[in-house]
Amino acid sequence: MSIPGTIGRPSRHGPDREPHEKTMTNDVAGTLRPRPQQARTRQVNLIPEAMARSHMAQRIHEAESQRAAGRLARAHRLQRRSRRMQRRAERASQRARRALAQAVMQ
């Protein structure tokens, strides 16, 4: 598919017009006004794309939030494990000092 433009900024379809050329319709009073129908049609056709983009942005935000919560939970578990290991090492050090002191005293 070789349609120029992007989803967010589609290029115009149809013949190129000069800025001073406008599609006009005759009003009852004889005044001229531009027809916004082409722009409205394009906007209506892009609504599903905009909704999909919004939905994907929301899903990305939720995924990032879940990843952050997972990292926080893992850091909390590692901190608890670190404290347990530190207390265990302190108890082992205390037992070693006590055993050394008893060996010296005999």
Side-chain angles (χ1 to χ4, degrees), residues 38-76:
Q38 185 179 8
R40 183 173 179 271
T41 302
R42 182 180 300 141
Q43 288 172 353
V44 169
N45 288 337
L46 292 178
I47 287 174
E49 293 179 15
M51 288 177 65
R53 195 177 310 112
S54 173
H55 182 66
M56 289 305 295
Q58 182 181 5
R59 289 182 64 185
I60 289 170
H61 179 70
E62 288 174 2
E64 289 173 354
S65 176
Q66 287 179 354
R67 278 196 294 270
R71 284 192 301 263
L72 183 64
R74 186 166 191 265
H76 188 64

